[in-house]
């Protein structure tokens, strides 16, 4: 590999918690009498918690005060964290596990760059927390993707420049963030065919050939 470090997005790349996010947002919305469906949920991928609230309430932005929005988002997160207790090492695919172990053994520095404030907890549940040299998440940043802050801080934590790192993303907002920060980006899933993606992946282990 030509890169000295790899920065992975978490959800959609290393694991999949979309179903948990949907269930949590759906339950919180129903409790508050707010309409929510899968199409709205799809727009929340890679977006910070409070920005999600703006999307959910865009048809009725004056419905809640800022405090009520924070309370709603906190309620959703509480439901979400309870659902995350169901996750374990078995939720990491063999492809992802092999890729991480191979890179680690090759001396490549590894980081997570995620907008989620639950990244550390998820990595712990998955049994992956000891593999990463740096974890930068929503607790460490002021601006979520497509702002490059999360990736720039992750690279800084690795002691590397953006040009020395590869970002692995599944969301277009994440690819935009990588490009804005001066990183090359490998895209998987929805991001694979995006025009700003440097490398298109069918599986995470494809990065081992770069």
């Amino acid at each position: 590999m030509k890169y000295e470090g790899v920065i992975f997005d978490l959800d959609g790349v290393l694991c999949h918690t979309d179903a948990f996010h949907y269930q949590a947002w759906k339950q919180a919305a129903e409790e508050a009498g707010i309409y929510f469906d899968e199409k709205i949920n799809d727009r929340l991928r890679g977006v910070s918690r409070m920005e999600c609230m703006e999307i959910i309430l865009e048809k009725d932005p004056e419905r809640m005060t800022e405090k009520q929005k924070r309370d709603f988002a906190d309620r959703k997160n509480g439901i979400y964290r309870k659902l995350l207790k169901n996750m374990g090492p078995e939720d990491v695919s063999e492809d992802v596990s092999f890729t991480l172990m191979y890179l680690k053994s090759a001396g490549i520095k590894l980081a997570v760059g995620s907008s989620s404030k639950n990244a550390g907890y998820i990595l712990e549940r998955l049994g992956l927390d000891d593999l990463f040299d740096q974890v930068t998440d929503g607790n460490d940043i002021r601006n979520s993707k497509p702002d490059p802050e999360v990736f720039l801080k992750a690279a800084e934590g690795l002691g590397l420049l953006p040009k020395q790192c590869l970002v692995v993303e599944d969301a277009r907002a994440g690819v935009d963030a990588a490009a804005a920060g001066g990183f090359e980006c490998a895209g998987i899933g929805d991001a694979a065919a995006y025009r700003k993606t440097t490398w298109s992946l069918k599986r995470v282990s494809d990065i081992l050939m770069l």
Side-chain angles (χ1 to χ4, degrees):
M1 171 175 280
K2 68 175 185 176
Y3 303 97
E4 296 181 41
V6 181
I7 304 172
F8 294 90
D9 176 46
L10 180 58
D11 196 16
V13 175
L14 298 180
C15 65
H16 298 275
T17 64
D18 283 355
F20 295 150
H21 277 296
Y22 176 70
Q23 291 174 46
W25 280 121
K26 182 72 170 175
Q27 182 177 331
E30 287 178 350
E31 291 174 356
I34 297 171
Y35 180 77
F36 188 81
D37 61 19
E38 293 185 6
K39 287 186 178 180
I40 297 173
N41 187 67
D42 288 343
R43 295 175 58 197
L44 308 184
R45 294 174 63 244
V47 178
S48 72
R49 202 176 301 165
M50 294 313 296
E51 287 173 326
C52 286
M53 288 302 305
E54 301 306 317
I55 294 172
I56 292 169
L57 295 172
E58 66 182 1
K59 291 184 178 180
D60 191 7
E62 304 301 320
R63 177 172 182 148
M64 290 185 178
T65 64
E66 289 304 311
K67 182 181 184 305
Q68 288 174 323
K69 291 177 183 178
R70 290 193 297 271
D71 289 344
F72 183 103
D74 288 344
R75 171 60 179 152
K76 177 268 177 181
N77 192 53
I79 299 168
Y80 177 62
R81 284 182 69 90
K82 287 182 179 179
L83 293 170
L84 289 177
K85 291 181 180 179
N86 298 315
M87 294 190 78
E90 67 276 5
D91 291 301
V92 182
S93 71
E94 291 185 8
D95 183 72
V96 167
S97 180
F98 171 78
T99 302
L100 294 175
M101 296 300 294
Y102 184 94
L103 292 172
K104 193 73 174 177
S105 66
I108 304 297
K109 293 183 178 181
L110 304 179
V112 167
S114 171
S115 296
S116 170
K117 291 187 176 182
N118 296 298
Y121 180 66
I122 293 172
L123 291 172
E124 181 181 336
R125 296 297 306 163
L126 297 174
L128 298 177
D129 45 322
D130 290 337
L131 288 177
F132 291 94
D133 304 289
Q134 173 70 25
V135 175
T136 303
D137 67 8
N139 296 297
D140 306 309
I141 60 175
R142 300 183 68 178
N143 305 296
S144 61
K145 303 169 187 175
D147 190 282
E149 182 181 7
V150 69
F151 294 138
L152 292 171
K153 285 195 171 183
E156 182 181 2
L158 294 178
L160 298 174
L161 299 173
K163 65 182 181 181
Q164 297 173 296
C165 300
L166 175 71
V167 168
V168 186
E169 263 286 354
D170 74 311
R172 292 190 174 194
V175 178
D176 287 338
F183 297 86
E184 293 192 345
C185 186
I188 194 168
D190 290 343
Y194 188 37
R195 61 182 177 80
K196 292 186 181 181
T197 297
T198 312
W199 311 99
S200 296
L201 310 178
K202 291 184 178 180
R203 59 191 65 83
V204 174
S205 59
D206 288 344
I207 66 173
L208 301 179
M209 295 182 287
L210 300 180

